[in-house]
């Protein structure tokens, strides 16, 4: 399995921006479909965005479309989540996750990074 470490979270005012990073190690990064999930207090974890191994296919939750952008740099073994026009409801712990190409399960998860958006 690949090991994942997120960074870039913090406190930001509504309307602001943050960029999250997720650094991978241990396996060939380009063999993995990568996603970001988030979990707010008292709520279930939810999908935010996903990106294929080549970066050619990306998908987003409706709640973040047009505001968030997922990208990856396979040479740096890193996936990013650029978050713009942040809203208080984006407050959550954000996790990156890796799924081997051809499988249906996210077998690797990071420890999470806190994002807090103040109104």
């Amino acid at each position: 399995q690949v090991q994942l470490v997120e960074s870039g979270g913090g406190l930001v005012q509504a309307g602001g921006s943050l960029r999250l990073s997720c650094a991978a190690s241990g396996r060939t990064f380009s063999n993995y479909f990568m996603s970001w999930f988030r979990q707010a207090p008292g709520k279930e974890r939810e999908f935010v965005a996903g990106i294929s191994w080549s970066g050619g296919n990306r998908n987003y939750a409706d709640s973040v479309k047009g505001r968030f952008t997922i990208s990856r740099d396979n040479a740096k073994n890193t996936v990013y989540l650029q978050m713009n026009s942040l809203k208080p409801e984006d407050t959550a712990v954000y996790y990156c996750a890796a799924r081997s190409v051809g499988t249906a399960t996210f077998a690797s998860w990071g420890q999470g990074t806190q994002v807090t958006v103040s109104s």
Side-chain angles (χ1 to χ4, degrees), residues 57-101:
N57 291 312
R58 311 179 193 194
N59 57 323
Y60 299 91
D62 288 344
S63 59
V64 306
K65 280 181 182 176
R67 301 188 297 121
F68 290 12
T69 302
I70 189 171
S71 62
R72 67 190 295 162
D73 185 336
N74 287 342
K76 295 183 177 180
N77 290 352
T78 302
V79 62
Y80 304 97
L81 186 68
Q82 178 66 44
M83 306 185 294
N84 298 328
S85 302
L86 282 161
K87 304 175 181 180
E89 51 264 43
D90 294 318
T91 295
V93 178
Y94 284 70
Y95 301 90
C96 67
R99 173 169 61 82
S100 294
V101 173

Side-chain angles (χ1 to χ4, degrees), residues 37-48 91-93 95:
F37 292 79
R38 67 186 182 186
Q39 187 167 21
K43 296 186 177 180
E44 293 187 354
R45 185 170 57 195
E46 64 176 357
F47 169 80
V48 175
T91 295
V93 178
Y95 301 90

